[in-house]
Amino acid sequence: MSFQVVFLWSDVLLFVLIAAIVALILWARRQDALRAAWGRVARDGMAMAAATVLAAFVIIGLLDSLHYRPRLDARPGEPVRYAVEVHSALDALLSDLRQRSEKTYSAPLATHLFAKEALENSTQREFPRLKHGGTHLGADLANHEFDIALRVSRGCAGGVALWLLLTTLWCRLKGLELLAVLAAMKPGADLKVGAGDTAIGAEKNVATGAVFVTLLAILLLLGIAVALGGGYHVFGTDKVGQDVLYLSLKSIRTGLLIGTLTTLVMLPLAVLLGILAGYVGGWVDDVIQYLYTTLSSIPGVLLIAAAVLMMQVIIDTHPDWFATSAERADARLLALCLILGMTSWTGVARLLRGETLKLRELEFVQAAQAFGVGRFAIMRRHILPNLMHIVLIALVMDFSGLVLAEAVLSYVGVGVDPTTISFGTMINTARMELAREPMVWWSLAAAFTFMFALVLAANLFADAVRDAFDPRSSA
């Protein structure tokens, strides 16, 4: 093989989490109440638009989680050797962006470096030409703006063509006509089958118009980025000449891991301790309340910083545990997820305790107690199923907070490993660039734009989930 597959612990946990989500979806389809609630989410146009954006981020994160080590060239008879550096499938797709590095800063879509330098055989300081950005223009830069406009138009045409192809394939699978789907994209329109002109039920019409409009916008941006990225640096380059668009796309995986893997630690603790405190009561309730009250009283940043530094000391004193630098950075990322999970379960546990206190006084729980059903059986059969909507709402709404927490922690230097690309490390690097004159703004703007899109989509989807699962909003 020309490469060696590498399994990082974060990759394994991420795919396990996705498999668990798929299993939960299949289980929820057999539950009438859950199917009805998710049906309300599916009929919300804003929610489905946000879900489409989140799906795009998830696809990028999954591509960046397929890691491998490329095979090194060797002479005949020599043993097979692989590179120390670990790449991903996303790196392979973005190989041009990753390899086309410049000397230092360059502005978005620029043809010259951002700072003047002394040229060879000259006493004057000029803006040197980039090694890759705009080199196809040659020495004549008069057509620079026209070339950008031409590439943008080609990118839009390619995005529309790909959108039409995907829409046509979807129509073939659903037995619909393309014109009927395009007509359904208008506000208030119904999606109709071509021949019989019969409206599809509300359960099957999952806000089709919102999904296709959002998909069209995503594919237009993708087409423009691909067209411009072939000749320019779309978001410019950073201090060491790396493409900022490449760094922004690589940061998505880190944000998704922080927002999802932390739940693997937080969820069992919050559910178990919250239900125990609310149902058992007595000294068990007192101990659990004392535990999460003590944790909540400690400033979160100080607690996380102390734990991260302790884990970093362990990692530094055991270098033989890691074969590559990627495994070392992955260990710190998992440690950060563990620490965030251990410190962020208190709010969910307190919420579940209060709800359990109300549930244990209801008639069906007291009837189970009268028939001699054990405590753990009651908690598993009667308490936990009636708390799952709260758990789901809390987890979806906490996702955006965890993504922002990584950015803040990496900004103050106690987040992910410095070699790990993330929104926080990009912002931390960009803060000193803002003091330059003229100001280097594009690194911060790119990180903010991608992080804002991810957090906004998560919040909009969380609002729809909360409205669908909240009994008070559906009453």
Side-chain angles (χ1 to χ4, degrees), residues 110-420:
T111 58
H112 293 74
L113 288 177
F114 191 67
K116 289 184 177 181
E117 294 183 358
L119 303 180
E120 296 182 1
N121 303 324
S122 175
T123 58
Q124 297 181 349
R125 295 174 60 86
E126 300 290 344
F127 294 101
R129 283 293 299 270
L130 298 178
K131 294 187 297 182
H132 303 285
T135 54
H136 61 283
L137 298 174
D140 186 13
L141 300 180
N143 296 326
H144 183 205
E145 290 80 5
F146 175 77
D147 182 68
I148 293 177
L150 182 61
R151 287 176 177 268
V152 169
S153 61
R154 290 176 179 174
C156 291
V160 172
L162 181 57
W163 178 80
L164 289 174
L165 176 62
L166 295 177
T167 305
T168 304
L169 292 177
W170 186 85
C171 292
R172 292 284 183 87
L173 293 175
K174 295 293 183 178
L176 304 176
E177 291 185 355
L178 180 60
L179 295 179
V181 175
L182 295 178
M185 294 173 58
K186 297 180 181 179
D190 291 328
L191 183 59
K192 299 178 181 298
V193 180
D197 199 44
T198 304
I200 295 180
E203 289 291 335
K204 296 182 179 180
N205 185 9
V206 288
T208 308
V211 173
F212 282 128
V213 169
T214 307
L215 182 61
L216 176 60
I218 293 174
L219 293 179
L220 285 176
L221 293 177
L222 175 63
I224 293 173
V226 171
L228 291 176
Y232 302 95
H233 298 287
V234 180
F235 287 147
T237 56
D238 62 359
K239 185 175 182 179
V240 296
Q242 286 185 298
D243 192 277
V244 175
L245 176 60
Y246 169 75
L247 297 178
S248 301
L249 294 175
K250 292 285 289 183
S251 301
I252 293 175
R253 175 181 180 269
T254 305
L256 291 177
L257 287 176
I258 293 293
T260 54
L261 293 187
T262 304
T263 61
L264 294 178
V265 180
M266 178 182 67
L267 182 60
L269 282 174
V271 173
L272 178 62
L273 297 182
I275 295 178
L276 282 176
Y279 183 76
V280 178
W283 65 270
V284 175
D285 186 20
D286 295 337
V287 171
I288 294 176
Q289 282 194 76
Y290 177 81
L291 179 61
Y292 67 61
T293 303
T294 303
L295 283 176
S296 300
S297 64
I298 303 175
V301 175
L302 295 180
L303 183 61
I304 295 172
V308 168
L309 293 177
M310 291 174 59
M311 292 298 299
Q312 187 61 39
V313 170
I314 296 176
I315 294 174
D316 292 339
T317 53
H318 298 86
D320 54 307
W321 289 358
F322 314 104
T324 61
S325 60
E327 295 181 2
R328 175 190 176 96
D330 187 67
R332 177 160 175 173
L333 177 61
L334 290 179
L336 181 60
C337 293
L338 176 65
I339 294 165
L340 285 174
M342 294 294 293
T343 56
S344 59
W345 62 269
T346 56
V348 180
R350 184 184 292 111
L351 183 63
L352 294 179
R353 173 187 174 272
E355 191 68 19
T356 304
L357 288 174
K358 295 188 297 183
L359 289 175
R360 74 176 185 179
E361 302 299 331
L362 297 181
E363 290 81 1
F364 65 92
V365 176
Q366 295 182 355
Q369 293 173 351
F371 279 106
V373 181
R375 285 182 173 180
F376 289 99
I378 292 176
M379 288 187 286
R380 179 172 58 86
R381 297 177 184 176
H382 301 291
I383 302 296
L384 181 59
N386 289 281
L387 295 177
M388 289 307 297
H389 67 284
I390 297 178
V391 174
L392 183 61
I393 293 171
L395 292 181
V396 175
M397 297 190 68
D398 286 346
F399 174 83
S400 57
L402 293 171
V403 174
L404 295 176
E406 182 276 325
V408 173
L409 293 174
S410 297
Y411 175 76
V412 299
V414 293
V416 297
D417 191 84
T419 60
T420 301

Side-chain angles (χ1 to χ4, degrees), residues 71-75 78 81:
R71 181 176 179 177
L72 298 176
D73 296 333
R75 297 177 181 178
E78 292 184 350
R81 295 180 301 172

